[in-house]
Structures are given as structure tokens and as C-alpha cells.
Amino acid sequence: MPQAVAVLGGGIIGLSCAFEAARRGMRVTLIEPGGLGGQASGAAAGMLAPFSENTEQPDDFFQLCLNSLRLYPEWIRAVEELSGMSAEWVQSGSINVVMHEADILPIESRLRWQNEWGAAAQLIDAAQLQRLEPMLSTAAVAGVYTPGESHVYAPKLVSALESACRKLGVEMLEHAGDIEEVQAHPSGGASVRAKALDQPVHADRLVVCAGAWTGAYERWFGLTIPIHPIRGQICSFEHPANEVRHMVFSSQAYWVGKRNDRLVCGASEDVAGFETNVTERGIGRLIRSSSRLFPFLERKETMHRWAGLRPATRDGLPLIGRVEGIGPVILAAGHYRNGILLSPVTAAAVADLLEEKTSVVSLNAFAPNRFSYIEK
Ligand SMILES: Cc1cc2nc3c(=O)[nH]c(=O)nc-3n(C[C@H](O)[C@H](O)[C@H](O)COP(=O)(O)OP(=O)(O)OC[C@H]3O[C@@H](n4cnc5c(N)ncnc54)[C@H](O)[C@@H]3O)c2cc1C
């Protein structure tokens, strides 16, 4: 087992890897250039929805998502117990709303394979839809009800993880400034220099979890890392508790009722470099979708509007694994739309690699070196 591990990046993925490594007995230092959870992880809607997010086939990515959902009960219990904080995990179930009869047919094949994987999902008609979700527009003709999907309050999970890491003795170097140099020796051992740190940090192993910024490591690892930011604009409405009872998905947007009387509605997917501002166009589309699906939201002002940068890879799959040829480096990045869902399984897989154990899940499809054919 490595003595000392440095985790680079303090979003949900970095914090989760630090937490898991520390609870398995490793000495962990986490380096975050800015504030912990200040990027995509603090902006997320917090949905844990492997079935709604994967409607085509039970491929490797779906299985990774489902494995992670199955790890959530023990994961949340451990994080909440150690931190003494709640991540506001709500077992709401989800409804995918169907607006046109013609869209019902493909749902049958989706239900067939998803139910083989334990979704317990059902096609419900308009009357059942109204019973489950009375505030929905009567224009909805059917829905898919998936009882096992749930959500957390992402900023609270991030805070709880941070606190749990501190209790386990993880050294948290936040506001460390830009990472200026990384040296990783093929035979073992690495060091990291950051602008606002007086000393370089030395470690036996590095775990890079820099979200949308992970491409910056190409120059130190000689590896092609095609990760780019996809901005997600998102907003919330004031929402009396229980007015929207489930996570609701349409083809245009999703809605998640939080315990703090906010109904979160997301999210755009736009390319705007590393900009995290919101635009009238992006939020306007969410507002229009909201009035169409939930007539009670018509003419309601949004309470908050914000945006975050999803780390997207060229093939849509995360990069989780050892960097071949650079012994001490592990990458855990590129979780795109599902980093909150995927945090426990990523942390478990990374900790298994650090301990040189066979991983809990197959990581072949997520190998960081799979893009080496692309010219840098
Ligand atoms: C609007 C929106 C809604 C979403 N909803 C959901 C959802 O419902 N469910 C779900 O599962 N996922 C959701 N996601 C996706 C999820 O938020 C991301 O997949 C996840 O947060 C990625 O976590 P991360 O730790 O890799 O990245 P981040 O949270 O972005 O963290 C990366 C960290 O790296 C730091 N950093 C920057 N440069 C460097 C460097 N050079 N070295 C080291 N660190 C660096 C950054 O400061 C940042 O703190 C959503 C995303 C958005 C934007």
C-alpha cells in the first residue's frame, strides 16, 4: 500500500478519492487550486439516475453508473456518520414524461432491458401520472416511473465529504493557486508545485481529479487527454415542499424538488470555453419548458441561476485508471453529466488501484491511455 497519496482537484471526485484512500489507511494530501467544490460539483442537480441517463443499452457506462448507485447507501452512511452532516439524500423515484403517443413504442424495449437490471420501472398512463405528480400538465400522455432513482443535495454532499476527509486526517491544501509543475517518476514517487504553496508536495502516488481542467496535465504526462468543458446552465424556483414529488424528466429539461423548498430545473449543454456565466437564452429555455410541463410555474420568477462546467471526453466515457508508462499516476476525470452519481464507484476503483488490488469494477472501457492514437 502506498504511504503517501496526493489528490489533485477538490471537486466531488477528488474529495471522494481522498475520503476512500484515507479510510483505507493511506496518508492523503488534497491540493485544490481554488475553493473545494467550487466548480461543477457545487453546481450539480445531484440526481442519482442511472436508468434515466442510459436509455439505449446496458453498456459498460450504464454498469458503472448502476454499480455506483448500489454503493450509495453505505457511502452516504459513512460520510454522514463521520461528518455529522446530512447530504439530504431523497428517495424520490423518477418520472420520464412522454408528451406524444408515438414516443411510447421505444419505451417498451427500454423497460425490457432495464427491468432485467433491477429498475422495477413501469409505463404509466395519463391518469396514473396525474395521481403520482398532480401538478404536471394534463398534456402529458404517459410516463416511465422508476422508483429506485434518487437525489442528493450536491453542495451538502461536497461539504460533508470535506468534513469527513478532515476528520480522517486528510491534509487539505485549498486555494493552492495554479499547479505550476508536476514531476512523476516512472519508478515511483512524484512531486507537485503550486503557485501559492511555499513547498512542493511529495507523494508516492498522484491521483489527478481536475474535472474540466484535466487536459492541462497533457504536458507533464505526455498523454493525450481530450477533456473539454460543457457548460450547464441551471436555475431554481421557490417551491413549497412536495409540490413536485419525483425527479421529473422531459426531452427538454429536468426538475428536482429539494428539501429547502427549491425546485431545481436544469440544464443547458453549451460550449462556452471555461465561462461560467448564465445567459438569457440558456435560462429562458428552461423557464419556457417549466411553464409547459408545470403550469403552476408560469410567470414565476427564478430564485437563483447558476452554471457549471461538465468535464466531457471525446467518447463520453470517464477516464479512470493508471496512466501507462508513468507508474505513480492515476487519472479520475471526465465524468461529464454523472460525476455525483459516479463518485462512490470511482473512489472505490481508485483506492483499489492504489492498493494494487483487483478493482471492484472492470475499468477497461475507461483506460486513460485509450486516446493515444490522437496527435497532440
Ligand atoms: C448544471 C449541472 C448539473 C449537473 N447535474 C448532475 C446530476 O444531477 N447528477 C450527477 O451525477 N452529475 C451532475 N452533473 C455533473 C457533475 O457535476 C460532474 O460530473 C462532477 O461534478 C465532476 O466532478 P469533478 O470533481 O471531476 O469536477 P469539478 O467539480 O469541476 O472539480 C474539479 C476541481 O479541479 C480543480 N482544478 C482546476 N484546475 C486544476 C488543476 N490544474 N489541477 C488540479 N485541480 C484543478 C477545480 O478548481 C475544481 O475544484 C451536473 C453538472 C452540471 C454543470
Side-chain angles (χ1 to χ4, degrees):
M1 189 190 293
Q3 293 293 303
V5 177
V7 174
L8 306 184
I12 190 107
I13 299 298
L15 286 163
S16 299
C17 291
F19 172 72
E20 186 63 28
R23 73 170 172 157
R24 293 197 195 181
M26 292 171 239
R27 188 154 50 80
V28 183
T29 304
L30 185 146
I31 306 173
E32 163 55 49
L36 296 166
Q39 296 293 344
S41 304
M47 297 180 294
L48 311 178
F51 299 105
S52 299
E53 284 286 315
N54 296 279
T55 55
E56 299 297 322
Q57 55 185 337
D59 57 12
D60 292 326
F61 184 67
F62 164 75
Q63 290 181 40
L64 191 73
C65 290
L66 187 60
N67 265 309
S68 207
L69 184 70
R70 290 179 175 158
L71 294 176
Y72 247 88
E74 190 280 331
W75 179 252
I76 289 281
R77 190 199 51 71
V79 174
E80 290 186 339
E81 203 172 282
L82 204 60
S83 65
M85 296 163 79
S86 167
E88 297 190 2
W89 188 23
V90 179
Q91 312 278 337
S92 59
S94 70
I95 296 177
N96 286 242
V97 174
V98 179
M99 301 303 282
H100 307 286
E101 300 264 346
D103 295 332
I104 293 178
L105 207 58
I107 287 175
E108 282 163 6
S109 79
R110 165 184 165 181
L111 287 181
R112 213 169 303 120
W113 74 258
Q114 290 199 340
N115 283 340
E116 278 170 20
W117 287 87
Q122 358 163 0
L123 183 63
I124 54 175
D125 63 19
Q128 291 168 304
L129 203 53
Q130 287 299 319
R131 267 200 300 282
L132 285 177
E133 207 54 78
M135 304 305 278
L136 258 184
S137 161
T138 49
V141 296
V144 176
Y145 172 52
T146 310
E149 297 195 320
S150 56
H151 60 95
V152 292
Y153 191 52
K156 293 208 171 173
L157 177 55
V158 165
S159 299
L161 271 165
E162 174 191 343
S163 162
C165 281
R166 289 188 196 280
K167 295 226 164 110
L168 288 170
V170 174
E171 187 182 7
M172 305 287 233
L173 303 176
E174 55 182 318
H175 302 293
D178 289 346
I179 305 297
E180 292 185 324
E181 193 182 6
V182 178
Q183 287 186 352
H185 309 290
S187 52
S191 65
V192 180
R193 212 159 39 75
K195 194 168 184 178
L197 298 182
D198 297 334
Q199 305 280 336
V201 172
H202 299 282
D204 302 309
R205 296 286 178 85
L206 288 187
V207 184
V208 178
C209 310
W213 294 266
T214 305
Y217 287 83
E218 285 191 335
R219 63 188 151 136
W220 294 306
F221 301 155
L223 179 74
T224 306
I225 308 176
I227 292 191
H228 56 277
I230 297 289
R231 182 172 61 182
Q233 300 184 50
I234 180 164
C235 62
S236 68
F237 299 91
E238 199 171 359
H239 145 78
N242 257 349
E243 217 157 35
V244 176
R245 300 170 181 173
H246 304 83
M247 291 187 290
V248 175
F249 296 85
S250 77
S251 57
Q252 308 292 318
Y254 56 74
W255 293 264
V256 193
K258 297 293 177 186
R259 283 209 189 137
N260 62 356
D261 288 353
R262 297 281 184 278
L263 179 62
V264 171
C265 172
S268 74
E269 289 189 24
D270 46 80
V271 178
F274 286 90
E275 289 292 327
T276 52
N277 58 321
V278 293
T279 63
E280 278 309 317
R281 190 158 177 262
I283 299 294
R285 280 194 55 188
L286 299 175
I287 293 175
R288 284 193 297 282
S289 298
S290 296
S291 324
R292 264 198 303 275
L293 207 69
F294 289 107
F296 80 96
L297 290 176
E298 215 171 340
R299 283 188 289 279
K300 252 201 173 182
E301 291 293 322
T302 56
M303 293 281 298
H304 294 290
R305 301 167 173 211
W306 67 98
L309 301 175
R310 303 180 190 88
T313 59
R314 185 177 279 220
D315 60 6
L317 304 178
L319 304 167
I320 308 171
R322 258 192 222 103
V323 175
E324 268 170 39
I326 313 180
V329 180
I330 291 170
L331 239 57
H335 293 73
Y336 192 38
R337 293 167 54 98
N338 286 289
I340 308 298
L341 169 63
L342 289 171
S343 50
V345 81
T346 303
V350 165
D352 287 345
L353 290 170
L354 287 167
E355 288 187 306
E356 300 190 359
K357 289 201 324 210
T358 308
S359 174
V360 278
V361 281
S362 162
L363 294 176
N364 293 341
F366 314 114
N369 292 69
R370 68 184 183 274
F371 297 107
S372 51
Y373 66 91
I374 302 171
E375 287 284 315
K376 277 214 298 297

